[in-house]
Amino acid sequence: AGMHIDGAPAGLDRTPLPRIARLVKQLGFNVVRLTWSVEGALRNPVLDERLVAANPGLRGLSTLAVMDATIQALRRAGVLVWLDCHTLDMGWCCDSQDCNGFWFNERYSEDHWVEALRLLARRYAREPAVVGMGLHNEPRRLCGGRAWDGQGAFCNATFFEAGVA
């Protein structure tokens, strides 16, 4: 399951969450990497209803409330959860143009990243289904271009140059 695309796990627009969780278990999986973004965790926006169209009970909920519901459904199905800090910005990754290669960019500092990690660690500290957290997905070089195949905002990575003190 992935959470970083607009803040909702993929498939909630087409399939009820309990059915997804049961299917994961039926397919023999025992853990799901549940991805999230720093932006989604810190801003916690209410999700567009289209993203949860097959789940009326999730309409009007925030990113973290949908994450809570997802984790609860997976726990009830007997599936563990690994929280994966997938991106800083809400949106797709991972290429040289998405500006999510490290744990900071122009919009989100290292302090924001740590704040988001702490927020989720505290939120799920007593949740038995959550068994771990990945610090950052696929670290790679910083970019200096436009995200979303050249259509997004310019990402100026000149604030970080290797070897410059």
Side-chain angles (χ1 to χ4, degrees):
M3 233 37 229
H4 62 288
I5 304 301
D6 299 318
L12 295 180
D13 58 331
R14 291 178 228 105
T15 308
L17 178 54
R19 184 171 170 201
I20 293 171
R22 285 192 308 271
L23 180 60
V24 168
K25 183 67 173 181
Q26 288 168 357
L27 290 172
F29 294 97
N30 63 358
V31 67
V32 164
R33 181 177 76 148
L34 187 59
T35 60
W36 57 276
S37 71
V38 169
E39 179 181 8
L42 297 181
R43 281 193 40 239
N44 195 24
V46 171
L47 297 177
D48 185 317
E49 290 187 1
R50 293 175 298 178
L51 298 172
V52 293
N55 291 273
L58 300 179
R59 292 184 187 143
L61 297 183
S62 69
T63 296
L64 293 178
V66 170
M67 193 170 182
D68 294 343
T70 302
I71 291 168
Q72 290 167 12
L74 290 165
R75 178 178 20 89
R76 283 192 294 272
V79 178
L80 301 173
V81 176
W82 177 267
L83 299 175
D84 176 51
C85 180
H86 204 73
T87 59
L88 298 165
D89 302 299
M90 290 172 62
W92 188 251
C93 85
C94 295
D95 64 27
S96 63
Q97 300 299 306
D98 67 18
C99 305
N100 281 282
F102 285 146
W103 44 94
F104 57 89
N105 64 19
E106 279 190 323
R107 292 166 297 287
Y108 295 97
S109 69
E110 183 175 322
D111 289 338
H112 289 121
W113 171 69
V114 170
E115 180 183 354
L117 289 169
R118 282 186 180 141
L119 183 148
L120 293 181
R122 287 181 184 126
R123 187 177 189 99
Y124 299 116
R126 298 196 192 289
E127 172 53 64
V130 175
V131 295
M133 184 183 316
L135 297 178
H136 190 71
N137 179 67
E138 300 176 22
R140 60 200 179 285
R141 72 176 184 86
L142 289 170
C143 72
R146 295 185 182 277
W148 293 101
D149 295 324
Q151 303 303 309
F154 184 72
C155 178
N156 181 355
T158 59
F159 65 92
F160 177 82
E161 292 182 36
V164 176

